[in-house]
Amino acid sequence: VNNQYTFPYTNPEADYFGQMRVDHSLSTNDTLFGRYTIENSAQAPIISFPTFFVDELSRGQYSTLSETHIFSPTLLNTARFSFSRSWVNEQSPNLINNPLYNFVPGTAMGYITISSLGQANFGNSGLTPLLFTQNIFTGSDDAFYTKGRHSIKFGVLFNHFQHFYNSQNAVRGSISFPTVAGFLTATPTSYNIEVPGFNNQYRAFHENSMGFYVQDDVRLNSR
C-alpha cells in the first residue's frame, strides 16, 4: 500500500465513488445478482498548527454475489456471498527537516505538549505512520416457505473477519513540559519513546461469527 500512493493526499481528485451492478436471469427459476462498490477518500486534518498535519487516504471496496432459486410456488431460496475490504493509511509529512529538532536520531520531529497551553500542542502525530486493513468474508443462505396461514423464513449467516493493524506509535518520541517557561528552559516533565528495534507494533486478529434464525408469520384471518 505504501508504494502505490504518493503523499501528501491533498489532491481532491483522490476522492471518488463508483458502483457497478449486474442482474441476470439464468433460467425461469434462477436469477443472479452482483454488485461492486468502491470509494476513495483523502483528507489532511491539521493537528494543532498548520505546519503539522496528517495525510490520510482511505479506501473501501464492497462486493456481493447472490443467487435466487425457485424450488416450487411455495419454496424460495437465496444464497449470498459478499466480501468487503477497507484500509486507512496515515502519514505525518516531515516539514521540519533540521535534525536538531529530532527527538530520536533518524526520525522526524516528535510531539511536544505544554500543559499550561491546553490543546495548543505541536509536532508530528504520535500515532503515525499507521496502516489499518480489514477484510470481511460473509456467506449466508435464506429460505422462504409458505404453507397455509404460515410464512416461514429460516437461514444461516457466517462471517470471517481479518484485522491487520500497524501503528508506529511514539516512534518519533514525545516531550511534555508543565509551562512555557519550562519549555524555554528545556526542563520537561516527561520524555517518551519506543526503543528502536525492540517493539513490533504489527497486530493481526482473526475471528468468526455465525448466526441462525427461524421466523414464522401467521395470518390469523383476512384482516
Side-chain angles (χ1 to χ4, degrees):
V1 174
N2 289 325
N3 296 328
Q4 294 180 357
Y5 299 93
T6 302
F7 293 96
Y9 297 145
T10 54
N11 187 350
E13 295 181 358
D15 294 332
Y16 63 86
F17 175 87
Q19 186 176 88
M20 180 179 65
R21 171 171 173 155
V22 176
D23 294 274
H24 181 63
S25 296
L26 301 175
S27 66
T28 56
N29 293 330
D30 290 277
T31 57
L32 189 66
F33 160 74
R35 181 177 60 212
Y36 171 74
T37 304
I38 182 172
E39 57 179 349
N40 229 50
S41 175
Q43 57 181 334
I46 295 173
I47 300 176
S48 294
F49 295 91
T51 307
F52 305 103
F53 59 93
V54 176
D55 267 330
E56 178 181 305
L57 178 66
S58 61
R59 167 175 288 183
Q61 299 181 81
Y62 316 95
S63 58
T64 300
L65 184 65
S66 176
E67 193 268 343
T68 300
H69 179 74
I70 301 175
F71 288 95
S72 69
T74 61
L75 180 59
L76 174 72
N77 188 83
T78 299
R80 184 180 298 106
F81 173 79
S82 63
F83 170 74
S84 66
R85 178 182 176 86
S86 57
W87 59 258
V88 176
N89 195 344
E90 295 183 352
Q91 300 282 346
S92 292
N94 185 25
L95 302 181
I96 298 180
N97 295 316
N98 193 327
L100 293 175
Y101 301 107
N102 297 345
F103 304 164
V104 180
T107 67
M109 178 179 173
Y111 195 66
I112 297 177
T113 301
I114 301 178
S115 300
S116 62
L117 297 182
Q119 299 298 319
N121 305 313
F122 56 95
N124 288 308
S125 171
L127 300 177
T128 60
L130 178 147
L131 178 62
F132 174 76
T133 304
Q134 175 182 260
N135 299 322
I136 303 177
F137 302 84
T138 301
S140 65
D141 190 87
D142 300 279
F144 306 87
Y145 179 64
T146 303
K147 183 176 179 61
R149 296 182 176 183
H150 297 267
S151 296
I152 303 175
K153 304 175 185 178
F154 53 94
V156 60
L157 172 71
F158 176 80
N159 290 306
H160 176 66
F161 300 91
Q162 297 176 341
H163 306 278
F164 305 97
Y165 184 82
N166 190 6
S167 173
Q168 301 301 314
N169 186 21
V171 68
R172 302 183 184 93
S174 63
I175 299 179
S176 298
F177 297 91
T179 61
V180 176
F183 170 72
L184 296 176
T185 56
T187 53
T189 55
S190 65
Y191 171 56
N192 301 297
I193 65 167
E194 293 290 346
V195 180
F198 286 88
N199 188 12
N200 180 5
Q201 301 195 38
Y202 175 80
R203 301 289 184 268
F205 304 92
H206 298 261
E207 55 186 308
N208 299 315
S209 67
M210 179 176 289
F212 306 87
Y213 78 93
V214 176
Q215 176 179 323
D216 184 9
D217 297 328
V218 181
R219 178 171 51 86
L220 300 179
N221 54 47
S222 60
R223 301 179 60 183

